[in-house]
Amino acid sequence: MSDSYENDGKAHEQYIAEVLAQYPEKFAKRRKKHLSVAKAAEVEPDAPVGEEGPLLTECEVKSNIKSIPGVMTIRGCAYAGSKGVVWGPVKDMVHISHGPVGCGQYSWSQRRNYYVGTTGIDAFGTMQITSDFQEKDIVFGGDKKLDKVIDEIEQMFPLSGGISVQSECPIGLIGDDIEAVSRRKGKEIGKTIVPVRCEGFRGVSQSLGHHIANDAIRDWVLDKSAEAEWEAGPYDVNIVGDYNIGGDAWASRRLLEEMGLRICGNWSGDATLAEMERAPKAKLNLIHCYRSMNYICRHMEEKYGIPWMEYNFFGPSQIAASLRKIAKHFGPEIEAKAEEVIAKYQPLVDGILEKYGPRLKGKKVMLYVGGLRPRHVMTAYEDLGMEIAGTGYEFAHNDDYQRTGHYAKPGTLIYDDVTGYELEKFVEKIRPDLVGSGIKEKYPVQKMGIPFRQMHSWDYSGPYHGYDGFAIFARDMDLAINNPVWDLFDAPWTDGGELLAAAE
Amino acid sequence: MPQSAEKILDHGPLFREPEYQEMFARKKACDGAASIDATALQSEYTKGWEYREKNFAREALVINPAKACQPLGAVFAAAGFEKTMSFVHGSQGCAAYFRSHLSRHFKEPCTAVSSSMTEDAAVFGGLNNMIDGLANCYSLYQPKMIAVSTTCMAEVIGDDLHGFIGNAKAKGSVPEDFDVPFAHTPSFVGSHIDGYDNSIKGILEHFWKDNPVVASASETINIVPGFDGFCVGNNRELGRMLDLMGVSYKLIGDAADQFDTPSDGEYRMYDGGTTIDDLKAAKGAKATLALQHWNSRKTLEYAGSVGQETASFNYPLGIRATDELLMKISSLSGKAIPEALRLERGRLVDAMADSQAYLHGKRYAIFGDPDFVQAMARFILETGGEPVHCLSTNGGKEWAEDMQVLFDSSPFGKDCKAYAHKDLWHLRSLMFTEPVDFLIGNSHGKYLERDTKTPLIRLTFPIFDRHHHHRFPVIGYQGGLRVLTTILDKLFDKLDAETNIAGETDISFDLTR
Ligand code: SF4
Ligand code: SF4
């Protein structure tokens, strides 16, 4: 573990100043608030250490604010947060991309929420189902069409467990009443139909979409919990905010089962509607992606008295700490089993560290991801001896940046809602050994000769959660950084790009 | 324990391990989803004629469409011009989607800025977003031109691009004489190919409207390639053929370099593309040709209105389609088609003759944009194959009529049918009830390949799950050779796969085919 590194905070301050200089004055001022350098936290030496471990730095920047027009923000929209993140993975429901064809087409099968099921028959995850609005629907309203779409879904997919209506931009602008249609049709077909007001113009990023999606679960799914069939047990937990990217939730579920817990509901990777409905019968909510699902955890705490706990299944140090923390909640018997699990996997961890540690030690990483991973994966890299030079979030809130202080080392460059321009410049200046971000960032970075891994989709790999996932994570970071292609960039007859004397 | 440091298993093999399989079974036992029996029954049912009829009776629901929305086409179009930044006016999520979508296909950077309109803009309009957006885009990304398109949000609230851009210029967002062409691209009308058309037309209008140059002032021929995921290979191949002919031509929008920048340590945000000077001069061309008719109807109409001769094609793929393009260009330019091209043509015909025994009578389903489907069906007919199901979600009634004319022109077209405005779930029913040997389309077809076990040949946009295909041409005689080889590879691989069980099916596992 490379616990004890520090980044060059002075240089990072300088880079911030340089990128800001490029903006029109008014916007330089606004962007300035989103960029900073982590400062060593001032903590009393004997201040009590909370659940999260000691506070290392202050990483606070302004966040969750509207993006500036014209700057090439990397953010998406509320629809992406609801359909793409929260609802899309619920496998036995048909999710209608309600509106014109585009949004559903671009997000079709792109998040890699794995599931087991027969697609088109009893599962509908990797499908693009849309009401494909035409001009007349915009002019006369789309409620009639929605009505018919629902009937036709029943015809085509009689085994679906329910339907969700994922609103695209026009819905909220033309005054459709999707709630009324959903309520009426739900009664008619005898299935849950969930209207979701996640039009892309709401809020400032995916984040409000998460919130709206959570509220829709509260209002349209949990209201049926009382009737849910489930024999409650003492060790029932829900996995919340794990979308099973590349199978993450499965690699996590295995560990929890091994330590004697039973998974009541999984939200929402590989989930069924029934699993979501019965979730209030669990004893504890375990939340992985805090950003996208804390709302429903807070609600379940208030309404059903179910406590919730954040955990982190990236990398062995966090996994072990999380397993212990979770076990503590259930008492000595589970605690003993958790220790067994940790011990069982220790040889695997040792083997991975032995194999990859020497190849990755001291390598510098820059991250830019969604609302959780920019901090959650840091320790996984550090477990491999790597160092985090910069990190930032697309759609984090203030509480995320506070939590980041428990992970980031002093001098780390922090960038909120980074723009294409800023990220390119920061990468160019810092020249890290690896950048972890999204598909839009991948190719520009690689063109500069810097290795890259997509950290939303796991670059078509995964899982990265749990011990099984850590092995894959380590392998992937190694193959990205240590591939020979990076040494082939310069043609041998040129010197740093300039043609040698040969010219004349 | 399935995982070990020596042999690391990722999702593919990992989840087939017994530990995971048992866990899946435990979960399935109490997940409340449909039972295994019900699933099997329904699964069978969806393969039959009764389900097909219900499927084709759909009027509102669209399942797995093969089309995207207008502004995607506009972003693609803008990538064809020198140092041009796409500016998508409306909500920002769309711009993120367009960029991802194009990047996933090309495996290349794709840039576009958004005016990031939010709830307040929905109420008050997006004027301020335009003013600020243009200013920021101009100072950060230093483009030579900013091409504006719209998302449905801006269209629904009725933002007026012309007025907004004028306003922004008056406020000094960009200099008065800076080029900001625009196009309204409502996504609830047409598809990405219409967005492409609107965008190209908007750009031409911008540069031609008050331009004193008159049509036919030069011998140049303008060529509008259309929305083409294979632009990298195709535009270069087209250029090569026209250079061989010695024709003076200009591509109106050429994204080949933009979507194929080298890796040498430098990230080029902009590369290649038609220059502004060429665009201005293009008004003096003698003619404007469109390689993809259904992508360019408005553009051609506009070119015609300034006095240029116009003609359109349906993607010059295969023998006769390429012949027609070259002959048209020859007659317009007065330049003969050189012997070198006649020899190339002969080589493609030679290859087709060599392989005809395998291709004759093969049945295909083809889906994609209307011009592609038309071209592909035509080529299949040339090989003696039958393009039985030809489906285009964004093809219309006129397209279907054209397709029928094509089918009627060949004895191999007898049992073929075109399906306009239909989606891939319709195609699923077609393929189950009237099976074919091969499916030609894009990556989305892989779900049909899985369900119907019909091998998929990926030959059109978007291709997400295979790499680099778009770097090689599919048009012209050289492209035809490549298409032919791709089909044959699939065919022979299938033949081998069906005959490779030792002692059982390997009687026909022939060394020479
Ligand atoms: S909101 Fe409209 S413009 Fe945006 S992706 Fe969806 S359909 Fe296309
Ligand atoms: S982990 Fe990040 S990218 Fe994934 S859902 Fe949560 S916020 Fe989004």
Side-chain angles (χ1 to χ4, degrees), chain A residues 66 68 70-71 105-106 109 128 130 132 148 152 156 204 257 270 272 275 278 355 421 447 460 462 468, chain B residues 3 5 11 20 26-27 30-31 51 59-62 64-65 67 69 92 108 114 120 136 141 261 447:
Chain A
K66 256 194 266 183
I68 295 171
V71 297
Q105 199 70 8
Y106 310 124
S109 290
Q128 138 66 335
T130 173
D132 189 16
K148 199 171 215 175
E152 292 179 358
M156 291 290 99
V204 303
E257 286 188 353
D270 192 37
T272 61
E275 288 173 334
R278 73 192 182 208
K355 183 167 173 186
Y421 173 80
K447 303 263 179 203
Y460 323 122
D468 284 350
Chain B
Q3 197 68 290
H11 54 90
Y20 280 96
R26 275 199 303 279
K27 185 172 183 295
C30 61
D31 74 353
Y51 189 84
E59 287 173 351
L61 171 65
V62 172
N64 296 352
K67 68 168 179 181
C69 69
Q92 68 196 17
E108 286 288 321
S114 154
D120 50 344
N136 282 323
Y141 300 109
T261 61
Y447 299 122

Short mmCIF file of all heavy atoms in Angstrom, two decimals, chain A residues 66 68 70-71 105-106 109 128 130 132 148 152 156 204 257 270 272 275 278 355 421 447 460 462 468, chain B residues 3 5 11 20 26-27 30-31 51 59-62 64-65 67 69 92 108 114 120 136 141 261 447:
data_model
loop_
_atom_site.label_atom_id
_atom_site.label_comp_id
_atom_site.label_asym_id
_atom_site.label_seq_id
_atom_site.Cartn_x
_atom_site.Cartn_y
_atom_site.Cartn_z
N LYS A 66 -25.32 24.05 -12.48
CA LYS A 66 -25.48 24.03 -13.94
C LYS A 66 -24.15 24.10 -14.66
O LYS A 66 -23.27 24.87 -14.30
CB LYS A 66 -26.25 25.29 -14.35
CG LYS A 66 -27.69 25.04 -14.70
CD LYS A 66 -28.24 26.25 -15.40
CE LYS A 66 -28.93 27.17 -14.42
NZ LYS A 66 -29.56 28.33 -15.08
N ILE A 68 -21.72 25.20 -17.67
CA ILE A 68 -21.64 26.41 -18.49
C ILE A 68 -21.89 26.02 -19.95
O ILE A 68 -21.34 25.03 -20.42
CB ILE A 68 -20.25 27.04 -18.33
CG1 ILE A 68 -20.07 27.51 -16.88
CG2 ILE A 68 -20.06 28.19 -19.30
CD1 ILE A 68 -18.67 27.95 -16.58
N GLY A 70 -21.58 25.63 -23.88
CA GLY A 70 -20.53 25.73 -24.89
C GLY A 70 -19.15 25.22 -24.50
O GLY A 70 -18.21 25.41 -25.25
N VAL A 71 -19.01 24.60 -23.33
CA VAL A 71 -17.66 24.24 -22.87
C VAL A 71 -17.33 22.76 -23.07
O VAL A 71 -16.23 22.32 -22.78
CB VAL A 71 -17.46 24.59 -21.39
CG1 VAL A 71 -17.56 26.09 -21.19
CG2 VAL A 71 -18.47 23.87 -20.50
N GLN A 105 -31.96 5.01 -28.23
CA GLN A 105 -31.07 4.37 -29.20
C GLN A 105 -29.61 4.46 -28.74
O GLN A 105 -28.87 3.50 -28.81
CB GLN A 105 -31.23 5.06 -30.57
CG GLN A 105 -30.74 4.25 -31.74
CD GLN A 105 -31.63 3.04 -32.03
OE1 GLN A 105 -32.71 2.88 -31.44
NE2 GLN A 105 -31.18 2.17 -32.91
N TYR A 106 -29.22 5.62 -28.24
CA TYR A 106 -27.82 5.81 -27.85
C TYR A 106 -27.49 5.09 -26.54
O TYR A 106 -26.34 4.75 -26.30
CB TYR A 106 -27.49 7.30 -27.73
CG TYR A 106 -27.92 8.07 -28.95
CD1 TYR A 106 -28.76 9.18 -28.85
CD2 TYR A 106 -27.53 7.66 -30.21
CE1 TYR A 106 -29.19 9.85 -29.98
CE2 TYR A 106 -27.95 8.33 -31.35
CZ TYR A 106 -28.79 9.43 -31.23
OH TYR A 106 -29.22 10.07 -32.35
N SER A 109 -28.15 -0.87 -24.50
CA SER A 109 -27.12 -1.87 -24.15
C SER A 109 -25.76 -1.27 -23.81
O SER A 109 -24.77 -1.98 -23.87
CB SER A 109 -26.89 -2.86 -25.31
OG SER A 109 -27.99 -3.68 -25.47
N GLN A 128 -34.28 -1.89 -26.90
CA GLN A 128 -34.58 -0.46 -27.00
C GLN A 128 -36.05 -0.36 -27.33
O GLN A 128 -36.49 -0.65 -28.44
CB GLN A 128 -33.61 0.18 -28.00
CG GLN A 128 -34.13 1.19 -29.00
CD GLN A 128 -34.63 2.50 -28.40
OE1 GLN A 128 -35.03 2.58 -27.24
NE2 GLN A 128 -34.63 3.54 -29.19
N THR A 130 -39.34 1.99 -27.40
CA THR A 130 -39.62 3.42 -27.43
C THR A 130 -40.98 3.71 -28.05
O THR A 130 -41.49 2.92 -28.85
CB THR A 130 -38.51 4.18 -28.21
OG1 THR A 130 -38.89 5.55 -28.36
CG2 THR A 130 -38.29 3.59 -29.60
N ASP A 132 -41.21 6.32 -29.86
CA ASP A 132 -40.78 6.91 -31.13
C ASP A 132 -41.69 8.07 -31.57
O ASP A 132 -42.34 8.00 -32.61
CB ASP A 132 -40.74 5.80 -32.20
CG ASP A 132 -40.09 6.27 -33.50
OD1 ASP A 132 -39.42 7.31 -33.48
OD2 ASP A 132 -40.28 5.59 -34.53
N LYS A 148 -51.68 3.17 -26.00
CA LYS A 148 -51.58 2.11 -26.99
C LYS A 148 -50.26 1.33 -26.88
O LYS A 148 -50.23 0.10 -27.02
CB LYS A 148 -51.67 2.75 -28.38
CG LYS A 148 -52.02 1.78 -29.47
CD LYS A 148 -52.31 2.53 -30.75
CE LYS A 148 -53.39 1.88 -31.56
NZ LYS A 148 -53.74 2.69 -32.72
N GLU A 152 -49.77 -2.69 -26.46
CA GLU A 152 -48.96 -3.49 -27.38
C GLU A 152 -47.82 -4.20 -26.65
O GLU A 152 -47.41 -5.29 -27.04
CB GLU A 152 -48.46 -2.61 -28.54
CG GLU A 152 -49.62 -2.16 -29.43
CD GLU A 152 -49.24 -1.26 -30.59
OE1 GLU A 152 -48.04 -0.90 -30.74
OE2 GLU A 152 -50.15 -0.89 -31.36
N MET A 156 -47.01 -8.12 -26.85
CA MET A 156 -45.71 -8.64 -27.28
C MET A 156 -44.98 -9.35 -26.15
O MET A 156 -44.28 -10.33 -26.36
CB MET A 156 -44.83 -7.47 -27.79
CG MET A 156 -45.27 -6.84 -29.10
SD MET A 156 -45.03 -7.93 -30.51
CE MET A 156 -46.67 -8.57 -30.71
N VAL A 204 -29.24 19.39 -13.39
CA VAL A 204 -28.02 19.86 -14.05
C VAL A 204 -27.17 18.71 -14.57
O VAL A 204 -26.11 18.93 -15.13
CB VAL A 204 -27.19 20.72 -13.08
CG1 VAL A 204 -28.02 21.89 -12.56
CG2 VAL A 204 -26.65 19.90 -11.91
N GLU A 257 -23.01 -13.53 0.79
CA GLU A 257 -23.59 -14.84 1.09
C GLU A 257 -22.60 -15.71 1.85
O GLU A 257 -22.96 -16.40 2.79
CB GLU A 257 -24.02 -15.55 -0.21
CG GLU A 257 -25.27 -14.94 -0.82
CD GLU A 257 -25.83 -15.72 -2.01
OE1 GLU A 257 -25.16 -16.68 -2.48
OE2 GLU A 257 -26.92 -15.38 -2.46
N ASP A 270 -29.45 -6.76 -12.24
CA ASP A 270 -30.03 -8.11 -12.27
C ASP A 270 -31.27 -8.22 -11.39
O ASP A 270 -31.61 -9.29 -10.91
CB ASP A 270 -28.98 -9.15 -11.84
CG ASP A 270 -29.40 -10.58 -12.14
OD1 ASP A 270 -30.04 -10.80 -13.19
OD2 ASP A 270 -29.12 -11.47 -11.33
N THR A 272 -35.31 -8.00 -10.15
CA THR A 272 -36.69 -8.13 -10.62
C THR A 272 -37.54 -7.16 -9.80
O THR A 272 -37.14 -6.71 -8.73
CB THR A 272 -37.23 -9.55 -10.42
OG1 THR A 272 -37.20 -9.84 -9.01
CG2 THR A 272 -36.41 -10.58 -11.17
N GLU A 275 -38.18 -8.38 -6.30
CA GLU A 275 -37.08 -8.16 -5.36
C GLU A 275 -37.08 -6.73 -4.83
O GLU A 275 -36.71 -6.49 -3.69
CB GLU A 275 -35.74 -8.45 -6.05
CG GLU A 275 -35.49 -9.94 -6.30
CD GLU A 275 -34.24 -10.19 -7.12
OE1 GLU A 275 -33.84 -9.30 -7.89
OE2 GLU A 275 -33.68 -11.27 -7.00
N ARG A 278 -40.03 -6.25 -2.19
CA ARG A 278 -39.91 -6.85 -0.86
C ARG A 278 -38.76 -6.26 -0.04
O ARG A 278 -38.56 -6.64 1.11
CB ARG A 278 -39.73 -8.36 -0.99
CG ARG A 278 -38.36 -8.79 -1.50
CD ARG A 278 -38.35 -10.25 -1.86
NE ARG A 278 -37.05 -10.67 -2.30
CZ ARG A 278 -36.83 -11.67 -3.15
NH1 ARG A 278 -37.85 -12.33 -3.67
NH2 ARG A 278 -35.61 -12.01 -3.49
N LYS A 355 2.14 -10.47 -8.24
CA LYS A 355 2.26 -10.50 -9.70
C LYS A 355 2.26 -9.10 -10.30
O LYS A 355 3.04 -8.80 -11.19
CB LYS A 355 1.08 -11.32 -10.26
CG LYS A 355 1.10 -11.51 -11.75
CD LYS A 355 0.08 -12.59 -12.15
CE LYS A 355 -0.07 -12.70 -13.65
NZ LYS A 355 -1.16 -13.65 -14.00
N TYR A 421 -11.90 20.74 -22.51
CA TYR A 421 -10.67 21.53 -22.60
C TYR A 421 -9.79 21.36 -21.35
O TYR A 421 -8.59 21.09 -21.44
CB TYR A 421 -11.03 23.01 -22.78
CG TYR A 421 -9.84 23.93 -22.73
CD1 TYR A 421 -9.02 24.08 -23.83
CD2 TYR A 421 -9.53 24.61 -21.56
CE1 TYR A 421 -7.90 24.89 -23.78
CE2 TYR A 421 -8.42 25.43 -21.49
CZ TYR A 421 -7.60 25.57 -22.60
OH TYR A 421 -6.49 26.37 -22.54
N LYS A 447 -4.56 9.12 -27.83
CA LYS A 447 -3.79 9.74 -28.93
C LYS A 447 -2.55 10.44 -28.39
O LYS A 447 -1.57 10.61 -29.10
CB LYS A 447 -4.64 10.79 -29.67
CG LYS A 447 -5.91 10.24 -30.24
CD LYS A 447 -5.80 9.88 -31.69
CE LYS A 447 -7.13 9.32 -32.16
NZ LYS A 447 -6.99 8.47 -33.33
N TYR A 460 -15.50 -2.75 -21.15
CA TYR A 460 -16.00 -4.04 -21.65
C TYR A 460 -15.41 -5.22 -20.90
O TYR A 460 -15.50 -6.36 -21.36
CB TYR A 460 -15.77 -4.13 -23.18
CG TYR A 460 -15.98 -2.79 -23.85
CD1 TYR A 460 -15.00 -2.17 -24.60
CD2 TYR A 460 -17.18 -2.09 -23.64
CE1 TYR A 460 -15.20 -0.88 -25.14
CE2 TYR A 460 -17.39 -0.83 -24.17
CZ TYR A 460 -16.38 -0.22 -24.92
OH TYR A 460 -16.57 1.03 -25.42
N GLY A 462 -14.52 -6.47 -16.51
CA GLY A 462 -15.22 -6.59 -15.26
C GLY A 462 -15.51 -8.05 -14.94
O GLY A 462 -15.18 -8.94 -15.73
N ASP A 468 -12.91 -11.37 -6.55
CA ASP A 468 -12.83 -11.85 -7.93
C ASP A 468 -12.60 -10.67 -8.87
O ASP A 468 -11.85 -10.77 -9.84
CB ASP A 468 -14.14 -12.57 -8.32
CG ASP A 468 -14.22 -13.97 -7.71
OD1 ASP A 468 -13.19 -14.43 -7.17
OD2 ASP A 468 -15.30 -14.57 -7.77
N GLN B 3 -11.27 -17.96 -8.94
CA GLN B 3 -10.28 -16.95 -9.33
C GLN B 3 -8.90 -17.28 -8.80
O GLN B 3 -8.77 -17.72 -7.67
CB GLN B 3 -10.74 -15.58 -8.82
CG GLN B 3 -10.09 -14.40 -9.45
CD GLN B 3 -10.47 -14.22 -10.91
OE1 GLN B 3 -10.07 -15.00 -11.77
NE2 GLN B 3 -11.25 -13.19 -11.20
N ALA B 5 -4.53 -15.84 -9.15
CA ALA B 5 -3.63 -14.84 -9.73
C ALA B 5 -2.98 -15.37 -11.01
O ALA B 5 -2.66 -14.60 -11.91
CB ALA B 5 -2.57 -14.43 -8.72
N HIS B 11 -15.44 -11.67 -16.79
CA HIS B 11 -16.88 -12.03 -16.80
C HIS B 11 -17.23 -13.20 -17.71
O HIS B 11 -18.13 -13.96 -17.38
CB HIS B 11 -17.71 -10.80 -17.17
CG HIS B 11 -17.29 -10.14 -18.45
ND1 HIS B 11 -17.80 -10.48 -19.66
CD2 HIS B 11 -16.37 -9.17 -18.69
CE1 HIS B 11 -17.24 -9.73 -20.61
NE2 HIS B 11 -16.36 -8.93 -20.05
N TYR B 20 -20.78 -19.53 -9.27
CA TYR B 20 -21.70 -18.49 -9.74
C TYR B 20 -22.98 -19.11 -10.26
O TYR B 20 -24.07 -18.59 -10.04
CB TYR B 20 -21.01 -17.63 -10.81
CG TYR B 20 -20.11 -16.59 -10.19
CD1 TYR B 20 -18.75 -16.81 -10.03
CD2 TYR B 20 -20.63 -15.39 -9.69
CE1 TYR B 20 -17.92 -15.88 -9.42
CE2 TYR B 20 -19.81 -14.44 -9.09
CZ TYR B 20 -18.46 -14.69 -8.96
OH TYR B 20 -17.66 -13.76 -8.35
N ARG B 26 -29.94 -20.14 -7.03
CA ARG B 26 -30.55 -19.74 -5.75
C ARG B 26 -31.36 -18.47 -5.93
O ARG B 26 -32.46 -18.32 -5.41
CB ARG B 26 -29.45 -19.45 -4.71
CG ARG B 26 -28.96 -20.67 -3.96
CD ARG B 26 -28.24 -20.26 -2.67
NE ARG B 26 -27.12 -19.35 -2.87
CZ ARG B 26 -25.89 -19.73 -3.24
NH1 ARG B 26 -25.63 -21.01 -3.48
NH2 ARG B 26 -24.92 -18.85 -3.39
N LYS B 27 -30.82 -17.55 -6.69
CA LYS B 27 -31.49 -16.27 -6.88
C LYS B 27 -32.76 -16.48 -7.71
O LYS B 27 -33.83 -15.96 -7.38
CB LYS B 27 -30.56 -15.28 -7.58
CG LYS B 27 -31.14 -13.89 -7.73
CD LYS B 27 -30.10 -12.91 -8.24
CE LYS B 27 -30.64 -11.49 -8.32
NZ LYS B 27 -31.72 -11.31 -9.27
N CYS B 30 -36.15 -17.54 -6.17
CA CYS B 30 -37.02 -16.65 -5.40
C CYS B 30 -37.07 -15.24 -5.99
O CYS B 30 -37.29 -14.27 -5.28
CB CYS B 30 -36.57 -16.60 -3.94
SG CYS B 30 -34.91 -15.99 -3.74
N ASP B 31 -36.86 -15.09 -7.29
CA ASP B 31 -36.81 -13.72 -7.82
C ASP B 31 -38.15 -13.21 -8.33
O ASP B 31 -38.27 -12.07 -8.77
CB ASP B 31 -35.71 -13.59 -8.89
CG ASP B 31 -36.09 -14.25 -10.21
OD1 ASP B 31 -37.14 -14.92 -10.26
OD2 ASP B 31 -35.33 -14.09 -11.18
N TYR B 51 -47.80 -15.02 -33.71
CA TYR B 51 -47.09 -13.91 -33.07
C TYR B 51 -46.64 -12.90 -34.11
O TYR B 51 -46.70 -11.69 -33.89
CB TYR B 51 -45.88 -14.44 -32.29
CG TYR B 51 -45.20 -13.39 -31.42
CD1 TYR B 51 -45.66 -13.11 -30.14
CD2 TYR B 51 -44.09 -12.68 -31.88
CE1 TYR B 51 -45.03 -12.16 -29.34
CE2 TYR B 51 -43.46 -11.73 -31.10
CZ TYR B 51 -43.93 -11.47 -29.82
OH TYR B 51 -43.31 -10.52 -29.04
N GLU B 59 -48.97 -0.58 -33.83
CA GLU B 59 -49.12 0.74 -34.44
C GLU B 59 -48.34 1.82 -33.70
O GLU B 59 -47.99 2.85 -34.25
CB GLU B 59 -50.60 1.14 -34.46
CG GLU B 59 -51.40 0.37 -35.48
CD GLU B 59 -52.88 0.67 -35.37
OE1 GLU B 59 -53.29 1.33 -34.39
OE2 GLU B 59 -53.62 0.22 -36.26
N ALA B 60 -48.10 1.60 -32.41
CA ALA B 60 -47.48 2.66 -31.61
C ALA B 60 -46.13 2.25 -31.05
O ALA B 60 -45.21 3.06 -30.97
CB ALA B 60 -48.42 3.04 -30.47
N LEU B 61 -46.03 1.02 -30.64
CA LEU B 61 -44.82 0.55 -29.96
C LEU B 61 -43.71 0.26 -30.96
O LEU B 61 -43.94 -0.40 -31.97
CB LEU B 61 -45.18 -0.73 -29.19
CG LEU B 61 -44.05 -1.53 -28.56
CD1 LEU B 61 -43.37 -0.74 -27.45
CD2 LEU B 61 -44.58 -2.85 -28.01
N VAL B 62 -42.50 0.74 -30.64
CA VAL B 62 -41.34 0.47 -31.49
C VAL B 62 -40.31 -0.30 -30.67
O VAL B 62 -39.96 0.10 -29.57
CB VAL B 62 -40.76 1.79 -32.05
CG1 VAL B 62 -39.45 1.53 -32.78
CG2 VAL B 62 -41.77 2.45 -32.99
N ASN B 64 -36.56 -2.08 -30.72
CA ASN B 64 -35.26 -2.23 -31.39
C ASN B 64 -35.26 -1.62 -32.80
O ASN B 64 -35.04 -2.32 -33.80
CB ASN B 64 -34.87 -3.72 -31.47
CG ASN B 64 -34.66 -4.32 -30.10
OD1 ASN B 64 -34.65 -3.61 -29.10
ND2 ASN B 64 -34.49 -5.62 -30.04
N PRO B 65 -35.47 -0.33 -32.89
CA PRO B 65 -35.45 0.32 -34.21
C PRO B 65 -34.03 0.42 -34.77
O PRO B 65 -33.07 0.41 -34.01
CB PRO B 65 -35.99 1.73 -33.92
CG PRO B 65 -35.68 1.97 -32.48
CD PRO B 65 -35.75 0.63 -31.80
N LYS B 67 -32.64 3.07 -36.36
CA LYS B 67 -32.47 4.47 -36.77
C LYS B 67 -32.12 5.29 -35.54
O LYS B 67 -32.40 4.88 -34.42
CB LYS B 67 -33.75 5.01 -37.41
CG LYS B 67 -34.91 5.14 -36.42
CD LYS B 67 -36.08 5.94 -36.98
CE LYS B 67 -37.22 6.02 -35.96
NZ LYS B 67 -38.38 6.75 -36.44
N CYS B 69 -31.61 9.68 -34.09
CA CYS B 69 -32.36 10.93 -34.25
C CYS B 69 -31.57 11.99 -35.03
O CYS B 69 -30.36 11.89 -35.20
CB CYS B 69 -32.83 11.47 -32.90
SG CYS B 69 -31.53 12.08 -31.83
N GLN B 92 -28.11 19.03 -22.57
CA GLN B 92 -26.75 18.56 -22.79
C GLN B 92 -26.62 17.04 -22.89
O GLN B 92 -25.67 16.54 -23.48
CB GLN B 92 -25.83 19.07 -21.68
CG GLN B 92 -26.12 18.46 -20.31
CD GLN B 92 -25.50 19.24 -19.17
OE1 GLN B 92 -25.12 20.38 -19.33
NE2 GLN B 92 -25.42 18.62 -18.00
N GLU B 108 -12.76 6.58 -32.05
CA GLU B 108 -12.05 7.85 -32.26
C GLU B 108 -12.71 8.91 -31.39
O GLU B 108 -13.87 8.75 -30.99
CB GLU B 108 -12.22 8.31 -33.72
CG GLU B 108 -11.40 7.53 -34.73
CD GLU B 108 -9.91 7.81 -34.67
OE1 GLU B 108 -9.53 8.98 -34.46
OE2 GLU B 108 -9.13 6.86 -34.82
N SER B 114 -22.53 21.63 -26.14
CA SER B 114 -23.97 21.77 -25.98
C SER B 114 -24.23 23.14 -25.37
O SER B 114 -23.36 23.70 -24.71
CB SER B 114 -24.47 20.67 -25.04
OG SER B 114 -25.65 21.09 -24.41
N ASP B 120 -34.95 26.40 -16.52
CA ASP B 120 -35.25 27.83 -16.72
C ASP B 120 -35.26 28.18 -18.21
O ASP B 120 -36.07 28.98 -18.67
CB ASP B 120 -34.28 28.72 -15.94
CG ASP B 120 -32.84 28.34 -16.18
OD1 ASP B 120 -32.58 27.23 -16.67
OD2 ASP B 120 -31.96 29.16 -15.85
N ASN B 136 -18.08 30.85 -25.24
CA ASN B 136 -17.17 29.89 -24.61
C ASN B 136 -16.57 28.93 -25.63
O ASN B 136 -15.36 28.65 -25.60
CB ASN B 136 -17.93 29.08 -23.55
CG ASN B 136 -18.11 29.87 -22.28
OD1 ASN B 136 -17.21 30.62 -21.87
ND2 ASN B 136 -19.26 29.75 -21.65
N TYR B 141 -12.17 26.46 -27.85
CA TYR B 141 -11.84 25.46 -28.86
C TYR B 141 -11.37 26.05 -30.19
O TYR B 141 -11.08 25.32 -31.12
CB TYR B 141 -13.02 24.50 -29.03
CG TYR B 141 -13.33 23.79 -27.73
CD1 TYR B 141 -14.48 24.07 -26.99
CD2 TYR B 141 -12.41 22.89 -27.20
CE1 TYR B 141 -14.71 23.45 -25.77
CE2 TYR B 141 -12.64 22.27 -25.98
CZ TYR B 141 -13.79 22.55 -25.27
OH TYR B 141 -14.01 21.94 -24.06
N THR B 261 -7.67 9.84 -37.06
CA THR B 261 -6.42 10.55 -36.79
C THR B 261 -5.37 9.56 -36.27
O THR B 261 -5.70 8.59 -35.60
CB THR B 261 -6.60 11.68 -35.75
OG1 THR B 261 -7.06 11.11 -34.53
CG2 THR B 261 -7.59 12.71 -36.25
N TYR B 447 -28.40 -9.47 -31.70
CA TYR B 447 -29.47 -10.10 -30.90
C TYR B 447 -30.32 -11.01 -31.79
O TYR B 447 -30.86 -12.02 -31.32
CB TYR B 447 -30.33 -9.03 -30.22
CG TYR B 447 -29.52 -8.17 -29.26
CD1 TYR B 447 -29.46 -6.79 -29.40
CD2 TYR B 447 -28.80 -8.75 -28.22
CE1 TYR B 447 -28.71 -6.01 -28.54
CE2 TYR B 447 -28.04 -7.98 -27.36
CZ TYR B 447 -28.00 -6.60 -27.52
OH TYR B 447 -27.25 -5.84 -26.67
#
